[in-house]
């Protein structure tokens, strides 16, 4: 289950994204980070620009 799916299901906290990113770094790295996290590229770009937006992303995908 991807990080964002786990977040939306209430299985992990917003802060757990750091653990998910670490897992990506130690993994094979063939999948882009945004896909590994379960985000669209637009969600990922919004999160990179402002990490607080993760609370909004948690609720529903960002319509772009």
């Amino acid at each position: 289950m991807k990080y964002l799916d786990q977040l939306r299901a209430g299985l992990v906290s917003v802060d757990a994204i750091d653990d998910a990113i670490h897992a990506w770094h130690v993994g094979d790295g063939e999948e882009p980070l945004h896909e590994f996290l379960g985000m669209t590229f637009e969600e990922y770009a919004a999160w990179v620009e402002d990490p607080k937006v993760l609370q909004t992303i948690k609720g529903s995908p960002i319509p772009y």
Side-chain angles (χ1 to χ4, degrees):
M1 182 181 272
K2 305 278 184 174
Y3 163 77
L4 192 56
D5 295 329
Q6 292 177 29
L7 182 65
R8 288 180 174 151
L11 302 174
V12 297
S13 70
V14 169
D15 296 331
I17 195 166
D18 295 329
D19 295 332
I21 292 170
H22 176 73
W24 179 79
H25 280 289
V26 299
D28 62 24
E30 290 185 22
E31 185 175 26
L33 179 56
H34 73 278
E35 289 179 13
F36 182 84
L37 294 172
M39 295 180 183
T40 65
F41 185 78
E42 291 80 11
E43 289 170 333
Y44 176 77
W47 171 74
V48 167
E49 188 172 315
D50 180 9
K52 294 177 196 168
V53 80
L54 193 53
Q55 288 289 11
T56 302
I57 294 170
K58 175 184 172 184
S60 62
I62 295 176
Y64 283 93

